[in-house]
Amino acid sequence: MKKKVISALSGLAVGVLASTVFFGNFSTPDTVSTASAKTDAEKVYVPFGEKDEYYLFASGGHSGQMFIYGVPSMRRIRTVPVFSPDPATGYGWDTHSKKMLGGYTWGDLHHPAFSETNGEYDGKYMFATDVANSRAAVMDLKTFTVKDIIEVPNTSGPHCAAFVTENTEYLFLPTRFSVPIGHQYASLDEYSTKYRGVMSAVTFDEKAQKLNIAYQVALPPWSYDLSDAGKKVSKDWAVLTTYNTEEATTNLEINASQEDRDFIVLFNWKELDKMVKEGKYDNVGGQKMIFPEKHQGGIYLVPVAKSPHGVDVTPDGKYFIASGKLAPLLTVFSFEKAFQAIEKKEFAGERNGIPILKYESVMEREVNPENALGPLHTQFDDKGMAYTTMFISSEIVKWNPETGEVLDRVPVQYSPGHAVSAEGDTVSPDGKYLVSLNKLAKDSYLSVGPSHPESMQLIDISGEKMKVIQSSPVDPEPHYGQMIKADKIKTIEVYPKEENNPNAVYSQQDARIVRKGNEVHVYGIAMRSKFIFDAKAKRPDVIEVNEGDKVIVHITNLDFDEDITHGFAINQYDLNMEIQPGQTNTIEFTAGKPGTYPLYCTNFCSALHQEMTGYLLVKPKQ
Amino acid sequence: MKKKVISALSGLAVGVLASTVFFGNFSTPDTVSTASAKTDAEKVYVPFGEKDEYYLFASGGHSGQMFIYGVPSMRRIRTVPVFSPDPATGYGWDTHSKKMLGGYTWGDLHHPAFSETNGEYDGKYMFATDVANSRAAVMDLKTFTVKDIIEVPNTSGPHCAAFVTENTEYLFLPTRFSVPIGHQYASLDEYSTKYRGVMSAVTFDEKAQKLNIAYQVALPPWSYDLSDAGKKVSKDWAVLTTYNTEEATTNLEINASQEDRDFIVLFNWKELDKMVKEGKYDNVGGQKMIFPEKHQGGIYLVPVAKSPHGVDVTPDGKYFIASGKLAPLLTVFSFEKAFQAIEKKEFAGERNGIPILKYESVMEREVNPENALGPLHTQFDDKGMAYTTMFISSEIVKWNPETGEVLDRVPVQYSPGHAVSAEGDTVSPDGKYLVSLNKLAKDSYLSVGPSHPESMQLIDISGEKMKVIQSSPVDPEPHYGQMIKADKIKTIEVYPKEENNPNAVYSQQDARIVRKGNEVHVYGIAMRSKFIFDAKAKRPDVIEVNEGDKVIVHITNLDFDEDITHGFAINQYDLNMEIQPGQTNTIEFTAGKPGTYPLYCTNFCSALHQEMTGYLLVKPKQ
């Protein structure tokens, strides 16, 4: 029976099968009963005056942004722009964020990861990667703003990041796509020899607030999907999944599913560090790149059922769990067994200089929930129990990694990718809540046309049995999230004064406009409810320049008052920036169009916000 | 007492006062009591399998987009891009939407308005205007996608639109800012003579799916804030608020609040139609523009307490309600009285050729809720009762327009701008729900840094007393919304086949790549789980071009299955488009960078979505 289903899993058949399963689930009495609705309503309702228990940071996928939710209310509190411009906050228009975006107009944010201390989320930073334009970013959780973005060279789509090591020593960024190193043109006939899947080891310099690439590893020309860092006993190690180890170059739907097994890459990053220190690398376009076929050690391959998505390390660091995404079964692998096999050099061949361990040597147990199909990702609770998403059979399976016993199953609507549990990637998950990030909503919500929202479902996992207690539509497209206890994040209320910032103006009478040749430097202030650009002018809220001038506008928000944000927009000049309480921000533009252009505050700030306006006057060239 | 408070209402004082009021409200036992929480939780909870009763279309402010919520759950179902690019849907990258956006990278969407038939929302279209870059847009509610955007010339920030007439004959777009007509450069010393506030009468051609400007009116050089169309007895009329009738050119916070009264502009659009037909207009930059000082009739001024925000016509069309936004009192004006005064020519002077009616002749009654401050906008229920937002005292006041009796008051958190009731702008509002769109959240939700979300609060208005039953954080920045009964909107499930569309490909074997000189035309398909660009090629999912080629990619989504949307992105080429079920979409680019670039589906579409990839190979110039 199971085999028959699996053999149908190619091409359109998957969709058809999935559709059948969807609507099968729809009428499950469990989730729709009115009796249980009352209790569920109370569980997710956070009355005014109280706050949510957890922050959920969910990737915004090809929006390029991060969505911040409160749990259990599942209310979306904020969209924090990361890889795409965001006019609502002026991100991508002000000088700092425009430079950070590097000219790119969008990103594809897949997997967010909190900074960690001793394997616990420390609430200080959030990291993320961009599959579309190969970047990595760090967000400061004091302000919920992005501090740095780097482009990752020699690579194409660091999909399977970011996951951090126990003390945020590294983010490892393996790549989804293999390309000729440096993106040169090379025929796909030369795929196996000229293409590579490069993994980057990225560090974060907290003092300088900068991301850096420490080194790279030229892995084989495969696709890499997800990774996880080891914990406790496995803390010096990391694991990542591969697919298309067939090295197919077209129609991957079929050609990348030919072999029965792909691999988990298992590597010891302390050994890689050592290799770099010992000069065991090549210099490739300015990067230190380890080629495993030249410098062996520290990297191993573990066979796994074909085309796995996730690989997840248990909170105790003893096991890693992975599954073929079209398979009915989950595999628990043992780090200890892997270490022993490596010690004994029990290898079964190699690929591109990387030794292959035997599946049987590393496998701890196989788990086979009846008729469950499409295991993708696993999260954990406070009792060590595992929760695995089943994409095809649209459900969450709860099971015990120590025994393989299946404890509970609950349908979700529909097609879950990742799930995220409270503090689920730490050494001590909280239990309590699990959110299923579903790829399809179908008819779950009011229709918004042929394309529907995605869906997140909140599951109460505090008892022995799981219970879906809330369903929330989501903008495209949640890939992964992390959920952190609310009290771990300590935001600031206003930006502190920066007395040494030459662009800042802290008293109204210091507001001034300085011309240097054809550059006009404005040192202005915003306060409820006016702009002052030039305190001494007849009209202090007017900026007058000549056509073609370069205009640099610095504005300090003098309202040192929580939540009193001002905006600065110029009509028909296609510009907007945000200035948060106490902040000094800068926007630059060339006054290319002569004429009269109203400027205004875009953030409603007081009863006289509507009056917080002025003009940009651009005198035409004679 | 009241006077003392009002006299403090300038500059920072407003903020300080507001802050005091905020925290005064915070501990109101009513809203925080646990006893009532249970009932409220049930009222807003929509269990899986059931759907929300209403769609709420809320303006996304300076995000430029429209947010679609379900009521009563207050879940955000969708973000529909309107005036800003949206990478999540490829809006602004595909050829059609890129052209519609006209090169602008953001917009400031203020007031959404449904199309109407006989004064009822008909569920067919949604209109909106852009304050930032002076545009108007129409969204088709069969697909929730924008069909047309026009730039509105001679004007700067059509803030006080869109509000439609009873049968969608017109959208009137008065402008927030006065500028020299055509945006020429002119000194602000010449403000009263050279600047104008132009109103545009826009029509929608449903067959061609195009917006057009029928004519414009050169109103005086003031600011215009909000407008509303008449109903029933007043259906040929419209009203709009003005401020800065002082014609101040700097520090409007103080200078635009000098006079005790500004005006409501009251006009008869059938008379304006007639004037246009009779040639009573000037041709200004291709537009038919009526100058009231040259061609009088049809337009009148009604004095109102200074600096009003909203003006709202009652469902029966008998009255319009407006208030000075810093005032403690609301004024009900009578259309009938206005018509009589006009008939009798009871004028008290004129401004720019427009006759001024007497306040006393048009005023029906003044309403003075004790200690209520900052009345902005009014909505209505099914019993004819009015609900007015009080920005400064942070509350909603329920009152009877026929008697002036104040019936109830409820605090909201904090600083409400607009409110929106179910079907509230129609001739027959539904009652039941009112949403308060609050400008500040302060500490209502988990903190996300110095800048907080805005907030919407759902109020149960089904009984005699109002009750806040849900508080929802909102991305910046909700200005206004309209709420429509869910069954009025009829979406399509998939795009119909367009057999005559030369870019569409409906069978796999017709996928082809055609070169014309240095143009490469791709006629491809997307289906679970592959791209086919050239059915006959060795690698059908590869596009190979020469450096510098212009590449035009058409893709048809062959999955005629609700919710199965595909994306098409090219790594490091900064491109993404969406192809909804059955749709054919096009993206164009120049292959400026030689090299090897993976391409992939951005919308998770099946278990083998990850395999839905290919390559763009760009052969370098020799």
Side-chain angles (χ1 to χ4, degrees), chain B residues 166-231:
Chain B
E166 266 197 356
N167 285 292
T168 319
E169 294 93 343
Y170 286 106
L171 321 172
F172 291 104
L173 277 54
T175 187
R176 175 172 165 194
F177 305 106
S178 281
V179 288
I181 289 174
H183 277 98
Q184 301 98 319
Y185 169 85
S187 164
L188 284 156
D189 292 337
E190 301 176 288
Y191 185 83
S192 292
T193 52
K194 291 210 171 162
Y195 286 54
R196 279 299 180 108
V198 170
M199 176 179 80
S200 307
V202 171
T203 56
F204 175 57
D205 178 342
E206 192 174 350
K207 201 168 169 194
Q209 303 258 298
K210 290 281 172 201
L211 295 164
N212 302 291
I213 298 169
Y215 56 87
Q216 298 188 313
V217 183
L219 293 172
W222 306 338
S223 285
Y224 300 86
D225 198 339
L226 259 297
S227 63
D228 202 1
K231 298 180 178 100

Side-chain angles (χ1 to χ4, degrees), chain B residues 243-390:
Chain B
Y243 61 105
N244 193 23
T245 56
E246 293 87 349
E247 302 180 11
T249 58
T250 188
N251 202 359
L252 262 55
E253 178 188 31
I254 289 166
N255 297 328
S257 308
Q258 296 301 302
E259 303 291 335
D260 276 346
R261 298 218 180 271
D262 287 300
F263 300 106
I264 307 285
V265 180
L266 171 71
F267 66 93
N268 183 308
W269 53 267
K270 290 230 164 134
E271 284 193 42
L272 298 184
D273 283 6
K274 200 166 147 244
M275 286 166 75
V276 171
K277 273 197 194 114
E278 291 168 355
K280 292 179 176 172
Y281 60 81
D282 288 19
N283 196 312
V284 177
Q287 300 299 325
K288 294 168 185 165
M289 194 175 295
I290 298 170
F291 285 82
E293 67 269 37
K294 291 190 195 174
H295 300 107
Q296 293 186 7
I299 310 179
Y300 307 90
L301 299 174
V302 179
V304 65
K306 69 178 164 192
S307 303
H309 261 296
V311 57
D312 297 283
V313 176
T314 53
D316 58 14
K318 286 162 65 181
Y319 306 112
F320 53 101
I321 295 163
S323 329
K325 72 185 172 199
L326 304 177
L329 113 181
L330 308 153
T331 308
V332 180
F333 296 95
S334 158
F335 274 108
E336 197 186 324
K337 286 190 177 175
F339 301 160
Q340 285 168 2
I342 291 166
E343 183 74 29
K344 292 185 205 152
K345 302 202 175 185
E346 282 179 7
F347 302 137
E350 56 96 30
R351 294 284 296 267
N352 296 59
I354 309 175
I356 302 172
L357 299 168
K358 290 177 190 151
Y359 178 78
E360 295 72 22
S361 316
V362 187
M363 189 265 284
E364 178 78 18
R365 69 177 50 82
E366 290 177 343
V367 181
N368 199 340
E370 200 179 352
N371 292 325
L373 269 180
L376 297 192
H377 303 285
T378 300
Q379 285 276 288
F380 305 95
D381 70 12
D382 53 329
K383 296 171 189 74
M385 299 304 110
Y387 298 79
T388 300
T389 55
M390 298 285 168

Side-chain angles (χ1 to χ4, degrees), chain A residues 45 55 79 108 178 184-185 189 250-251 447 451 469 475 477 491 538-539 541 544 565 600 604 615, chain B residues 45 55 79 108 178 185 189 249-251 447 451 469 475 477 491 538-539 541 544 565 596 600 604 615:
Chain A
Y45 189 71
Y55 288 91
T79 302
D108 191 357
S178 283
Q184 301 97 321
Y185 170 86
D189 292 338
T250 188
N251 202 0
S447 176
S451 198
I469 56 175
D475 275 327
E477 180 185 358
T491 55
K538 178 179 172 189
R539 295 185 180 94
D541 43 14
E544 180 146 3
T565 298
Y600 69 106
F604 213 105
Y615 281 93
Chain B
Y45 189 72
Y55 289 90
T79 302
D108 191 357
S178 281
Y185 169 85
D189 292 337
T249 58
T250 188
N251 202 359
S447 175
S451 196
I469 56 174
D475 276 326
E477 182 184 358
T491 55
K538 179 180 171 188
R539 296 185 180 94
D541 43 15
E544 181 148 1
T565 298
T596 303
Y600 69 105
F604 213 105
Y615 281 93

Side-chain angles (χ1 to χ4, degrees), chain A residues 587-599:
Chain A
I587 195 164
E588 300 175 34
F589 62 97
T590 299
K593 284 193 290 193
T596 302
Y597 302 96
L599 55 88

Side-chain angles (χ1 to χ4, degrees), chain A residues 267-541:
Chain A
F267 67 93
N268 183 308
W269 54 267
K270 290 231 165 132
E271 284 192 43
L272 299 183
D273 282 6
K274 200 166 147 242
M275 285 166 74
V276 172
K277 274 199 194 110
E278 290 168 356
K280 292 178 175 169
Y281 61 82
D282 288 19
N283 195 312
V284 176
Q287 301 298 326
K288 296 168 183 163
M289 193 175 294
I290 298 171
F291 285 81
E293 68 269 38
K294 291 188 194 173
H295 300 107
Q296 292 186 8
I299 309 179
Y300 306 91
L301 299 174
V302 180
V304 65
K306 69 179 166 191
S307 304
H309 261 296
V311 57
D312 297 282
V313 176
T314 53
D316 58 15
K318 286 161 68 181
Y319 307 112
F320 53 101
I321 296 163
S323 328
K325 73 184 171 199
L326 304 178
L329 113 182
L330 308 152
T331 307
V332 180
F333 296 95
S334 159
F335 274 108
E336 198 185 324
K337 286 190 177 175
F339 299 160
Q340 285 168 3
I342 290 165
E343 183 74 30
K344 292 186 204 154
K345 303 202 176 190
E346 281 179 7
F347 302 137
E350 55 95 33
R351 293 285 297 267
N352 297 60
I354 309 175
I356 302 172
L357 298 167
K358 290 176 189 149
Y359 178 77
E360 295 72 23
S361 317
V362 188
M363 188 266 285
E364 178 77 20
R365 69 177 50 82
E366 290 177 342
V367 181
N368 199 339
E370 200 179 352
N371 292 326
L373 270 181
L376 297 191
H377 303 285
T378 301
Q379 286 275 287
F380 305 96
D381 69 13
D382 53 329
K383 295 172 188 73
M385 298 304 109
Y387 299 79
T388 301
T389 54
M390 298 285 168
F391 181 84
I392 299 170
S393 55
S394 262
E395 62 180 323
I396 307 282
V397 174
K398 176 181 177 179
W399 56 285
N400 186 338
E402 290 285 357
T403 63
E405 189 189 359
V406 174
L407 302 167
D408 191 25
R409 297 165 66 161
V410 67
V412 290
Q413 292 84 15
Y414 303 100
S415 306
H418 282 268
V420 47
S421 64
E423 304 250 334
D425 286 316
T426 69
V427 294
S428 62
D430 283 4
K432 205 156 187 176
Y433 297 117
L434 181 83
V435 173
S436 176
L437 289 83
N438 308 323
K439 294 303 183 182
L440 299 170
K442 290 274 176 186
D443 58 357
S444 304
Y445 310 105
L446 290 181
S447 176
V448 288
S451 198
H452 298 227
E454 279 73 35
S455 175
M456 299 205 300
Q457 287 180 302
L458 179 66
I459 301 171
D460 179 350
I461 58 166
S462 58
E464 279 186 23
K465 296 292 172 188
M466 297 177 280
K467 182 86 201 297
V468 175
I469 56 175
Q470 182 63 301
S471 300
S472 298
V474 195
D475 275 327
E477 180 185 358
H479 287 279
Y480 187 50
Q482 283 193 339
M483 211 191 298
I484 190 171
K485 197 86 169 68
D487 62 10
K488 281 194 177 174
I489 290 183
K490 315 281 186 201
T491 55
I492 59 170
E493 291 192 2
V494 299
Y495 279 76
K497 273 195 183 184
E498 305 171 283
E499 296 290 0
N500 297 322
N501 180 348
N503 301 330
V505 173
Y506 292 113
S507 74
Q508 295 185 42
Q509 64 268 31
D510 291 343
R512 63 201 184 277
I513 297 179
V514 181
R515 174 175 284 280
K516 293 178 187 164
N518 68 346
E519 280 186 7
V520 178
H521 297 256
V522 179
Y523 301 89
I525 63 107
M527 57 185 282
R528 282 171 293 191
S529 300
K530 62 188 166 197
F531 292 109
I532 301 181
F533 304 118
D534 184 350
K536 297 191 176 67
K538 178 179 172 189
R539 295 185 180 94
D541 43 14

